[in-house]
Amino acid sequence: MPALAGRMMQMPLLISSLVQHAARHSGDVEIVSKRVEGDLHRTTWAEVERRARRVAQALARLGLQAGDRVATLAWNGHRHLEIYYGTSGSGLVCHTLNPRLFPEQLAWIVGDAADAALCFDLTFLPLVEKLAPAMTSVRHFIAMTDRAHMPADSRIPGLKCFDELVDAEDGAYEWPTFDENTASSLCYTSGTTGHPKGAVYSHRSTVLHAYAAALPDAMCLSARDVVLPVVPMFHVNAWGIPYTAALTGCKLVMPGPHLDGKSLYELFESEQVTFSAGVPTVWLGLLTHVQQNGLKFSSFKRTVIGGSACPPAMMHTLERDFGLEVIHAWGMTELSPLGTLAKLKAKHEVLPAEAKQRLLEKQGKVIYGIDMEIVGDDGAPLPWDGQASGNLVVRGPWVIERYFGQDASPLLTIPGRGDWFPTGDVATIDADGFMQVTDRSKDVIKSGGEWISSIELENIAMAHPAVHEAAVVAVAHPKWDERPLLVVVRKPGQSATREDLLAFFEGRIAKWQVPDDVVFVDELPHTATGKVQKLRLREQFRDHRLPTA
Amino acid sequence: MPALAGRMMQMPLLISSLVQHAARHSGDVEIVSKRVEGDLHRTTWAEVERRARRVAQALARLGLQAGDRVATLAWNGHRHLEIYYGTSGSGLVCHTLNPRLFPEQLAWIVGDAADAALCFDLTFLPLVEKLAPAMTSVRHFIAMTDRAHMPADSRIPGLKCFDELVDAEDGAYEWPTFDENTASSLCYTSGTTGHPKGAVYSHRSTVLHAYAAALPDAMCLSARDVVLPVVPMFHVNAWGIPYTAALTGCKLVMPGPHLDGKSLYELFESEQVTFSAGVPTVWLGLLTHVQQNGLKFSSFKRTVIGGSACPPAMMHTLERDFGLEVIHAWGMTELSPLGTLAKLKAKHEVLPAEAKQRLLEKQGKVIYGIDMEIVGDDGAPLPWDGQASGNLVVRGPWVIERYFGQDASPLLTIPGRGDWFPTGDVATIDADGFMQVTDRSKDVIKSGGEWISSIELENIAMAHPAVHEAAVVAVAHPKWDERPLLVVVRKPGQSATREDLLAFFEGRIAKWQVPDDVVFVDELPHTATGKVQKLRLREQFRDHRLPTA
């Protein structure tokens, strides 16, 4: 009991209040979805809320109880949104599965989470048919479609039709009130080592993150925006956009499975999208399409790019050629995910364009709620001078404390400064609090006792006109321990040589940091969330013989 | 215990985390204060946080304990800011007193709050000297100045010097962690009937309000803003700006006691202010100054106007002649204070300019967190059609549940819809959730069973070129029960007659709503928070004989 308590209304921060707010105050604002069935579906926040109440009723009727996990295997679309709110809002836990994982991993995750139901888009029918026998915890399989599109016969026992379940309910349902620290959703990280681990978000953490994400120094979302999340709803809840959109009452445009450049561009134009968000690789396809066809965006203004570092060359193209504001962001599953965004301060507005650009290429400053430090291997904080690089640690009300089902704490204690989540990123922080990721701690190249940032080398390579995509990995070296190897995918029709590329590094970086060799490949391996699979590349080139060795 | 708990970090929403965030991530951003001593003082967020820690130490050394109230009688300035954070951050309660209240009222409020200490700007030395004997709960009187400016002799027993107290501490102080529902600050409403009542804000309500206030559809504050709160820190915590500024890391410009047009204009220009906020009457003085001197603003972009309805004529002048974005807002002490703001939705952007303007003249839509209804005298919700007007009720985590020291609930229960705070305003809400205050329930004019909005009549009068300020009050009428009387302050040198003004209403409003008479006065009475004192005007003109009677 506080010595003196405030006398304010006690209203828990619940996810149901987000969709209720949108339905009451922006009821006619549209949710437009490109669906698996092939159509462009239009609904509203009022209708989404109505259907979410019926989802809650239907799941209760199937016997699901507070705390039960409901898995989804689905693209960005209105039904997925209805499940988000219908599950969390009623006290169930929305567990988004990443369909790009290996089937065995998916089955393992469903078992670890003990999911009681699985809702899936028709795209994934063959996958679910294959995995159903292994998913022993799942009592209900629900195809996210209408009766007309239900598979004629399916090997899935008792397969249910989502629209039919929803339509059978009357919607006479009151969103329940409960503790805001209740689990609301679950998302597994696609760990590169060991089993995936689940982040269990709470209603409180989700609502606070939704406030923070909408701030002018974050996504800057308002009721005047039309938002197309390219980032999937199975990837850290599409960076919280389904929640932030409800908070602001903006229009949502859901691309479904159609993430190729042409499909995205057409949707951007027809729905007059103003804001989008996604990982760098998505923009590669979109950029190629608009460039090859000499197109322009008529409404698109701002985009947040995160997930992995955005190559400055791509930022420049988006800004210079298309007039977009590119907001570089950093976060991770364990952070709900937003941690930092690169938005200038008042003092920066007088800087020359180039200096501004260098700041905007960094991952940026924290949003209020998150705090960060960089620490040495001994755990002691390092100076914020933009030079010293160390292990990035964070904390805040939307940072995880434990993984799902694990008792061991992943946190790092800084003496006298409390507990922090170690991100696995290596970063610098400058005096203005601008953080820059220099590497993943496991990707950094340790050459003769010095660290070389693989990201810095990749950014340079990506600026070469012949390079479509590039990655740098460490290769063993008898003298220096490790040396950088550049792996490159050339643009179609380009024929730049090893020597051309190595020459490109001259004057752009210290000589001892220039890669020792270049390898050309047809494509790079990507993780299920669109990041280059460095671990796989390292294995692939483990025995690569450097000319310098 | 939830069925399944989220596994996120448990970090209470504490006011100390706001100033720590600003100090760590925007440490060199300036706080500029025009001080009572006459100088223009410059400090930074880092220094404010350092001094706030010393304030906490000093107050603890004086024997103050968690929950104790520390009163302030002070203008907007850095010392007041240091007290805000030093008190709340350490578990004390910051109780801002409105110096414009009658001395007897002040003494009563201090007694009701049982304030243990009183910090005051030198402006208020004579007032405090007069009231000290009546303020029996106050154990420590602290003059907010340095040793050089301390009064040579004062009748205040044991008068202390603020800077001296602060300088005596070493700042080796850790902000404590405690329940976020702890009381953080206290603000009394200047009730027009009965004794003033105190709103007791909590850390949680203050931090949530700070997030909401910074949103693009609210004040839209970022690290690129320079904010000058004209609204005083003794008036609902300057609408939360001291907290929201820390959250965003923006520069603050504090005008001290100098709120005349010339002083404000000079500060806007010299400090390159981008954003301001205040009640309509403040802008009257500033506008007069810039218009009379043919001046322009070089950096000023946006302003929030609230506290009472902003006359559309003033909005138009600010927008048309000075290129400002005027954001009409509504709130009250019991709401921390923000409830609604008038910002357009995407669908409104295609409307003709005039239709947009009509929407922007409304009080606007709620920020997520607040919900509202209009109810009839029977407590039943009325339709959102922009026509039906009823009693406005609100709820949300930054709305009060009880007043300080009172057990009786001020809330209204809507059957099946929970408890709501009755605002005392009469309003309409349209289908898009845009609320428009038509009157205070006690100011509405009841003519022949129909309601006439005094605000609507005042807005029309204010659009007349000869009118400086106008108010409409009800006067008794033998046939119609009540009829409107227009009370006008003419601009200097203007000579518009009663007939001119009455003619001005023709075609702008229904004939039966046109005032029955006009009275010219030299000035209107204002409340301590800058609102026209309707109650006093009603009393003054109680026996006014209408020509229609």
Side-chain angles (χ1 to χ4, degrees), chain A residues 345 347 431-432, chain B residues 22-23 25-31 43-47:
Chain A
K345 297 181 168 188
K347 68 188 278 188
D432 291 318
Chain B
H25 300 280
S26 306
D28 65 351
V29 173
E30 284 184 315
I31 315 296
T43 180
T44 62
W45 277 113
E47 183 61 16

Side-chain angles (χ1 to χ4, degrees), chain B residues 286-322:
Chain B
L286 183 60
L287 262 181
T288 304
H289 176 75
V290 291
Q291 285 175 325
Q292 284 181 346
N293 296 280
L295 303 169
K296 292 276 171 203
F297 295 106
S298 66
S299 57
F300 190 24
K301 300 272 188 316
R302 314 181 319 279
T303 183
V304 165
I305 299 188
S308 48
C310 180
M314 186 192 290
M315 282 184 69
H316 299 173
T317 304
L318 289 168
E319 290 168 352
R320 195 188 46 217
D321 298 352
F322 297 98

Side-chain angles (χ1 to χ4, degrees), chain A residues 8-50:
Chain A
M8 310 303 284
M9 288 189 180
Q10 289 298 320
M11 302 189 73
L13 304 174
L14 295 179
I15 286 175
S16 57
S17 73
L18 289 165
V19 76
Q20 283 180 287
H21 171 81
R24 278 173 65 72
H25 301 280
S26 306
D28 65 352
V29 173
E30 284 185 313
I31 314 295
V32 181
S33 308
K34 192 97 178 148
R35 297 202 293 191
V36 171
E37 292 91 338
D39 62 341
L40 189 67
H41 175 272
R42 311 188 87 86
T43 181
T44 62
W45 278 114
E47 184 61 17
V48 163
E49 194 264 347
R50 243 189 313 268

